Amino acid sequence: MAFIKEESEDLKIEETFTVKQEDLQEQTDLMVLKEETHQQNEIDEKQQFEKPQEITTDEKPTLTKKTSSNESNFSCKQCGKSFSQKSNLDVHMRVHTGEKPYTCEQCGKSFSQIQGFKAHMRIHTRERKFTCQECGKSFYHVGNFAAHMRIHTGEKPFSCKQCGKSFSQKPNLYVHMRAHTGEKPYTCEQCGQSFSQKQSFKSHMRIHSGERPYTCQQCGKSFRHARNLAEHMRIHTGEKPFSCKQCRKSFSKKLHLIAHMRVHTREKPYTCEQCGTSLGKKEDLYIHMRIHTGEKPYTCTECGKSFPHKSSLKHHMISHTGEKPFKCAQCGKSFTTKASLKNHMNGHTGKTVFTCDQCGKSLTRKDSIKNHMKIHSGEDRFRCSECGKGFNCKRILSTHLKLHNG
């Protein structure tokens, strides 16, 4: 019958919004109930989006009879839809009147159609009637099951008439159309930012509310977005799905792979505006800028001394704790720094080591120790031709010249 087909199609549109949320049901029953309940509420909105109309609630439907097919035809005066039975028209009118006669006794949610009410009750009973024979996944609603099957079949029956792009779900087509119309129907009342997708709007609102609905079951850490939880879970699973094709090194985050690829391409997209130094990572540029700003954000809680780098603070803390984390595998002797251990290892390998009498630093080359001794002598062998400032190391002079060259 026409009514059953149309009402079933309307329910299917509404139900497809819950496909992605099915994956979150295992995490928390409360979130599933909240999401399913919210989506059932949107059925009237979607029907009106499909056929925009002016809604009035105090007019009764007009009944017209047509005898061409020997059947009575009942038409809705507000939107023009026709039904073969008056009872079907009465149910349809709830779209315009907002009447919802079916109420869930467990959570108080109301529905305009018996099909929606029955589907909703499966949330409480946990009954999943529809099971995929391909992968074994089960669903509460036939609409969700039908949408899921398109993953296996690859079917995309809903196409955009403007650009030809196809979608497996009708609501996705509706959302896509906003890219052409520029419509952003969801506006944040607190900051005025607008969004074309409801999910983006909901995610944004968590910035203001502080809500973090996605919680890791292993460590209890919470996140605003499901994708952030998925990324976090790789810490526990050890999964690294993003691999470099050149050296096969793997990463848990795509951004880390993109940054790593610059090692191979030698790309350095982040440039210091003050001295022109180029760097491959954004965080390296932030650290570099401390040379110019003099910022030292890492402070020792023991003595109050500050450092520009986290590693410098970590190394400094050893002076308070007396910790010697670097141990020689051959003799068991421990050292406070990795460089000290490396110098010590040269003694085992037989490599000649030159040690500074004043600070104890060891170097493997004679010319290196000579250059190092000039630091203690105060001799400035290298002088800047621009400002006359002297330096005891050629490398430091080269860095200084960049300040003049911009």
Side-chain angles (χ1 to χ4, degrees):
M1 290 167 60
F3 159 72
I4 294 174
K5 182 178 180 181
E6 290 174 5
E7 294 295 325
S8 176
E9 177 64 18
D10 290 339
L11 180 59
K12 195 178 294 182
I13 291 170
E14 178 272 333
E15 288 171 341
T16 53
F17 270 103
T18 64
V19 173
K20 291 183 181 178
Q21 280 71 22
E22 291 277 1
D23 294 335
L24 298 176
Q25 289 167 354
E26 301 302 328
Q27 186 184 23
T28 165
D29 292 344
L30 181 59
M31 284 191 62
V32 173
L33 179 57
K34 182 180 176 182
E35 192 66 31
E36 292 278 355
T37 299
H38 177 72
Q39 289 158 357
Q40 289 283 355
N41 255 339
E42 293 184 326
I43 185 168
D44 293 344
E45 179 186 340
K46 295 186 186 74
Q47 289 170 326
Q48 293 173 36
F49 182 87
E50 193 171 6
K51 286 192 176 183
Q53 54 212 261
E54 184 181 350
I55 298 175
T56 56
T57 59
D58 51 356
E59 289 189 28
K60 293 185 178 180
T62 299
L63 308 183
T64 59
K65 291 187 178 182
K66 296 182 181 179
T67 56
S68 58
S69 59
N70 296 323
E71 288 185 0
S72 295
N73 193 295
F74 301 91
S75 298
C76 173
K77 186 178 179 181
Q78 295 193 41
C79 67
K81 276 189 177 182
S82 297
F83 302 89
S84 60
Q85 295 182 19
K86 184 178 181 298
S87 59
N88 295 350
L89 175 60
D90 292 339
V91 172
H92 163 78
M93 286 306 296
R94 294 172 191 155
V95 174
H96 304 300
T97 63
E99 182 189 3
K100 296 180 179 180
Y102 305 102
T103 303
C104 173
E105 294 181 357
Q106 295 192 45
C107 67
K109 176 74 182 69
S110 296
F111 301 87
S112 61
Q113 300 174 30
I114 188 67
Q115 297 98 321
F117 173 68
K118 287 180 177 179
H120 166 79
M121 289 307 296
R122 297 190 198 113
I123 298 169
H124 299 297
T125 62
R126 308 298 296 171
E127 180 188 6
R128 298 191 181 197
K129 292 176 63 176
F130 310 99
T131 303
C132 174
Q133 299 300 316
E134 295 282 339
C135 64
K137 193 172 183 181
S138 298
F139 300 88
Y140 297 122
H141 312 297
V142 66
N144 294 349
F145 173 63
H148 166 79
M149 287 308 296
R150 295 183 195 126
I151 297 171
H152 300 297
T153 62
E155 181 189 6
K156 294 183 178 181
F158 307 103
S159 298
C160 173
K161 292 180 180 179
Q162 293 194 42
C163 66
K165 193 172 182 180
S166 296
F167 301 88
S168 59
Q169 300 179 36
K170 203 169 187 178
N172 292 349
L173 174 60
Y174 291 153
V175 172
H176 164 78
M177 289 305 296
R178 293 175 189 148
H180 299 297
T181 63
E183 181 191 8
K184 293 184 177 182
Y186 306 103
T187 302
C188 174
E189 293 181 357
Q190 296 192 45
C191 67
Q193 193 172 347
S194 296
F195 302 87
S196 61
Q197 298 184 34
K198 192 164 192 176
Q199 191 59 39
S200 301
F201 171 66
K202 287 172 70 177
S203 296
H204 166 79
M205 289 306 295
R206 294 181 191 130
I207 296 171
H208 300 298
S209 66
E211 181 190 7
R212 293 173 177 263
Y214 304 101
T215 304
C216 174
Q217 298 299 315
Q218 295 195 41
C219 67
K221 194 172 182 180
S222 297
F223 302 88
R224 292 193 185 100
H225 310 293
R227 64 178 180 275
N228 293 347
L229 174 61
E231 278 186 358
H232 166 80
M233 289 306 296
R234 294 178 193 139
I235 296 171
H236 300 297
T237 62
E239 182 189 6
K240 294 182 177 181
F242 306 101
S243 298
C244 173
K245 293 180 180 178
Q246 294 193 41
C247 66
R248 301 299 178 185
K249 193 172 182 180
S250 296
F251 303 88
S252 60
K253 295 183 180 180
K254 193 174 183 179
L255 285 174
H256 294 171
L257 173 60
I258 293 170
H260 164 78
M261 289 306 296
R262 296 183 190 126
V263 174
H264 301 296
T265 62
R266 298 187 183 278
E267 180 190 5
K268 295 182 177 181
Y270 303 103
T271 303
C272 174
E273 294 180 356
Q274 294 196 41
C275 67
T277 300
S278 295
L279 300 152
K281 295 180 181 179
K282 198 171 186 177
E283 54 267 31
D284 289 346
L285 177 60
Y286 291 147
I287 293 170
H288 166 81
M289 288 305 295
R290 293 174 193 152
I291 296 170
H292 305 294
T293 62
E295 182 190 7
K296 294 180 179 181
Y298 303 100
T299 304
C300 174
T301 55
E302 295 285 334
C303 64
K305 193 173 182 179
S306 297
F307 303 87
H309 310 296
K310 194 174 184 179
S311 58
S312 302
L313 173 61
K314 191 176 179 181
H315 176 68
H316 165 79
M317 290 303 294
I318 294 171
S319 63
H320 296 296
T321 62
E323 182 188 3
K324 294 183 177 181
F326 303 98
K327 192 174 183 178
C328 175
Q330 292 193 41
C331 67
K333 192 174 181 180
S334 297
F335 301 87
T336 56
T337 65
K338 196 173 184 179
S340 300
L341 173 61
K342 189 176 180 181
N343 289 333
H344 167 80
M345 290 301 294
N346 290 331
H348 292 297
T349 59
K351 190 180 288 186
T352 304
V353 179
F354 301 93
T355 304
C356 174
D357 295 332
Q358 297 195 41
C359 67
K361 187 170 184 178
S362 298
L363 298 164
T364 56
R365 291 175 58 182
K366 194 172 184 178
D367 56 341
S368 297
I369 198 68
K370 282 183 178 180
N371 286 330
H372 167 77
M373 290 301 293
K374 289 165 188 170
I375 296 171
H376 302 295
S377 66
E379 180 186 353
D380 293 334
R381 290 201 310 150
F382 305 99
R383 196 161 296 279
C384 175
S385 58
E386 296 285 338
C387 65
K389 192 173 182 179
F391 302 91
N392 55 32
C393 177
K394 191 175 182 180
R395 178 178 55 81
I396 298 173
L397 172 62
S398 298
T399 303
H400 167 78
L401 282 169
K402 290 177 183 177
L403 297 174
H404 294 298
N405 298 333

